[in-house]
């Protein structure tokens, strides 16, 4: 069911309406409807536990997870006249949701979502649907009690979030933070999601191996980046949530720099950080290269750092305690004399991601008590970053591997070696 808001005084041409509301491109739904039904049930159960009566979801990850919505543009940094307010409303007492969107995205909602109840903003409000959303939810009886907003999402920004809060409170609701509902539900993946993660891992391998093929002195970082993107796209990979770094020379000391027109030179360290993406599910992988033979102490530091992965390999199992992994890795790094060379050591959840980030909600590292008393439960996936500064400021040994935990095993997801790779 699709419903339009109040029409403006001068209606659009009939043909425009015919296209917006009549065009039926082939659907591109990532999962079966039963998968989405189960997700809605889990969300409603956690809402009941947390005392949230209605939840209005605006983050790209949440909208995708619950109804399949995805787009190239979310109005996150748009003009004030185009506030980012489309979203999905869920009520704890109803086994359905309402998708709110502007009519200019009507076709998109039919391509990507399973929505049976889409409400389009009035034409006279253009893209600003806040008043319409509040009025509609009040008429549905969904604004009594607590309504949760995703305060920790970049979408919408503070100004728009405050307008939502004011509109919902004026309609009689108490507005609270509902950010953790979808973040916690998404932590444990279903078998269908696990299949996407495995495909994303295959694509990440392809990207990293293509980098190895084209790296050489005289080639720019952007050229390598472009070849990685091309290879992964040819393998069915999608645009990742973060621009993937290809960093060379002294710049390789900084993991969050951007690939540029800088040309690589003989004797330099190069780090390549990729994410394979399938149905928006990300798997992260980074490796370190040397253009030409490295100095002996550089090679030795890299060998020791790569050796940590054997520690990991021996430990991985379902329900592995986070503290046990952190303590074992800390002990290894101290034993081999690497600890004082560390950059960041740790990891975070892998899964659904949209720009501008692929960093998931769950994080862990040996120097923090955050999540130390939790376990890596079956159905969870994380990356692990292994960063150590090399001699003479040459760059980092930068290695990222991703782990997947199932009922039967904990497994490493890449087939690319961890050692420093020398480019002849």
């Amino acid at each position: 069911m699709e419903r339009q808001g109040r029409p403006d005084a001068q209606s659009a041409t009939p043909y425009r309406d015919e296209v917006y509301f009549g065009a039926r491109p082939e659907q591109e739904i990532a999962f079966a409807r039963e998968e989405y039904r189960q997700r809605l049930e889990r969300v409603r159960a956690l809402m009941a536990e947390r005392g949230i009566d209605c939840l209005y979801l605006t983050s790209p990850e949440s909208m995708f997870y619950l109804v399949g919505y995805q787009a190239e543009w979310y109005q996150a940094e748009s003009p004030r006249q185009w506030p980012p307010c489309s979203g999905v409303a869920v009520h704890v007492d109803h086994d359905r949701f309402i998708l709110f969107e502007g009519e200019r995205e009507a076709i998109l909602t039919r391509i990507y979502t399973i929505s049976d109840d889409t409400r389009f903003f009035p034409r006279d409000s253009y893209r600003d649907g806040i008043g319409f959303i509040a009025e509609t939810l009040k008429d549905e009886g969904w604004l009594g009690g607590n309504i949760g907003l995703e305060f920790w999402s970049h979408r919408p920004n503070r100004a728009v979030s405050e307008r939502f809060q004011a509109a919902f409170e004026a309609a009689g609701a108490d507005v609270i933070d509902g950010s953790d509902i979808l973040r916690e539900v998404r932590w444990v993946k279903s078998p269908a999601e696990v299949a996407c993660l495995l495909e994303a891992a295959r694509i990440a391998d392809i990207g990293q191996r293509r980098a190895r093929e084209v790296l050489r002195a005289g080639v720019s970082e952007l050229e390598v980046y472009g070849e990685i993107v091309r290879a992964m796209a040819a393998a069915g990979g999608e645009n990742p949530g973060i621009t993937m770094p290809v960093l060379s020379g002294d710049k390789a000391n900084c993991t969050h720099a951007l690939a540029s027109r800088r040309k690589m030179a003989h004797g330099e360290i190069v780090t390549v950080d990729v994410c394979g993406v399938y149905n928006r599910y990300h798997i992260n992988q980074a490796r370190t290269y040397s253009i030409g033979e490295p100095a002996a102490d550089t090679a030795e530091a890299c060998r020791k750092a790569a050796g940590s992965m054997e520690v990991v390999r021996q430990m991985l199992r379902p329900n592995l305690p986070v503290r046990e992994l952190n303590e074992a890795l800390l002990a290894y790094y101290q034993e081999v004399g690497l600890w004082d060379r560390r950059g960041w050591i740790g990891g975070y959840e892998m899964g659904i991601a949209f720009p501008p980030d692929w960093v998931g909600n769950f994080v862990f590292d040996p120097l923090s008590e955050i999540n130390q008393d939790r376990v890596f439960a079956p159905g969870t996936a994380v990356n692990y970053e292994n960063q150590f500064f090399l001699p003479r400021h040459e760059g980092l040994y930068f290695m990222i591997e991703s782990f997947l935990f199932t009922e039967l095993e904990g497994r490493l997801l890449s087939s690319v070696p961890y050692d420093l790779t020398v480019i002849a």
Side-chain angles (χ1 to χ4, degrees):
M1 174 175 58
E2 295 178 346
R3 303 182 186 179
Q4 293 175 260
R6 299 177 304 275
D8 57 13
Q10 184 176 0
S11 63
T13 63
Y15 184 68
R16 187 186 94 153
D17 288 354
E18 179 184 327
V19 174
Y20 279 161
F21 301 106
R24 300 281 169 178
E26 181 180 352
Q27 280 199 313
E28 298 179 21
I29 305 298
F31 300 99
R33 279 184 171 265
E34 177 61 18
E35 173 86 6
Y36 291 108
R37 185 192 66 77
Q38 292 175 6
R39 294 178 181 186
L40 180 59
E41 286 185 357
R42 291 195 293 272
V43 168
R44 290 172 58 211
L46 191 54
M47 288 170 61
E49 181 182 319
R50 301 289 170 84
I52 296 178
D53 300 288
C54 182
L55 186 62
Y56 190 68
L57 303 167
T58 53
S59 73
E61 291 81 1
S62 295
M63 293 173 68
F64 176 83
Y65 181 82
L66 203 61
V67 308
Y69 185 102
Q70 57 180 312
E72 62 147 12
W73 181 49
Y74 287 87
Q75 305 88 45
E77 284 287 320
S78 294
R80 295 185 181 188
Q81 293 82 1
W82 298 348
C85 52
S86 58
V88 181
V90 180
H91 195 278
V92 69
D93 294 330
H94 296 274
D95 61 354
R96 62 185 178 89
F97 60 83
I98 302 174
L99 172 62
F100 291 94
E101 182 54 284
E103 66 179 14
R104 287 169 178 79
E105 308 297 353
I107 302 170
L108 182 148
T109 65
R110 292 194 291 277
I111 296 173
Y112 293 115
T113 81
I114 60 159
S115 178
D116 294 321
D117 188 356
T118 304
R119 315 285 179 98
F120 297 106
F121 307 152
R123 287 176 179 165
D124 57 3
S125 70
Y126 200 40
R127 292 188 178 274
D128 189 344
I130 295 175
F132 173 72
I133 293 165
E135 180 182 313
T136 300
L137 293 180
K138 182 177 181 180
D139 290 345
E140 293 283 336
W142 286 19
L143 285 188
N146 293 326
I147 183 165
L149 296 177
E150 295 182 291
F151 289 171
W152 282 87
S153 171
H154 77 284
R155 182 185 190 270
N157 57 45
R158 179 175 181 269
V160 176
S161 182
E162 287 183 344
R163 287 187 56 208
F164 266 117
Q165 181 167 350
F168 290 155
E169 288 176 344
D174 294 317
V175 176
I176 62 175
D177 184 12
S179 303
D180 288 341
I181 299 296
L182 267 289
R183 292 182 178 210
E184 292 185 22
V185 168
R186 286 167 39 207
W187 167 232
V188 176
K189 277 68 173 177
S190 70
E193 291 176 288
V194 168
C196 290
L197 291 171
L198 292 173
E199 183 65 7
R202 182 189 70 84
I203 292 166
D205 273 358
I206 289 170
Q208 195 69 242
R209 292 186 185 281
R210 182 56 182 161
R212 164 68 180 83
E213 291 169 354
V214 298
L215 276 171
R216 63 184 183 275
V219 173
S220 74
E221 295 168 346
L222 280 172
E223 287 178 274
V224 177
Y225 168 83
E227 286 297 314
I228 293 169
V229 172
R230 186 206 62 78
M232 294 201 299
E238 302 160 19
N239 181 49
I242 295 175
T243 298
M244 298 178 292
V246 177
L247 309 172
S248 59
D250 290 349
K251 191 176 174 182
N253 287 300
C254 177
T255 59
H256 296 154
L258 295 173
S260 72
R261 288 171 288 276
R262 184 185 191 278
K263 294 187 182 296
M264 292 170 270
H266 186 79
E268 290 187 333
I269 295 295
V270 181
T271 58
V272 177
D273 183 1
V274 305
C275 243
V277 188
Y278 187 79
N279 284 339
R280 301 313 310 162
Y281 286 78
H282 286 52
I283 286 295
N284 195 197
Q285 179 189 119
R287 296 293 186 270
T288 305
Y289 302 85
S290 175
I291 301 180
E293 287 293 335
D297 55 355
T298 296
E300 178 65 6
C302 292
R303 185 191 66 78
K304 290 178 178 179
S308 67
M309 293 310 298
E310 186 56 35
V311 176
V312 172
R313 190 187 308 276
Q314 294 176 13
M315 297 183 68
L316 285 187
R317 65 184 187 274
N319 295 307
L320 170 66
V322 174
R323 188 180 300 276
E324 182 180 332
L325 177 65
N326 279 335
E327 289 179 350
L329 288 169
L330 174 59
Y332 172 83
Y333 296 133
Q334 291 175 334
E335 178 185 346
V336 299
L338 284 177
W339 188 241
D340 66 348
R341 292 177 175 270
R342 69 188 181 277
W344 186 65
I345 308 298
Y348 48 81
E349 176 186 352
M350 299 308 301
I352 299 171
F354 287 81
D357 222 330
W358 69 45
V359 179
N361 188 53
F362 180 96
V363 296
F364 65 99
D365 76 66
L367 291 178
S368 172
E369 280 297 310
I370 295 173
N371 293 319
Q372 287 274 31
D373 294 324
R374 296 182 66 176
V375 301
F376 297 108
T380 62
V382 297
N383 80 347
Y384 167 64
E385 301 199 11
N386 191 332
Q387 304 177 13
F388 293 97
F389 291 103
L390 299 173
R392 297 171 295 280
H393 302 180
E394 291 175 314
L396 276 171
Y397 170 81
F398 183 35
M399 189 285 302
I400 298 177
E401 174 60 292
S402 292
F403 315 152
L404 174 66
F405 297 87
T406 69
E407 294 287 348
L408 300 177
E409 64 177 349
R411 60 185 290 186
L412 306 173
L413 290 180
S414 76
S415 63
V416 178
Y418 304 121
D419 295 333
L420 176 69
T421 298
V422 178
I423 307 297

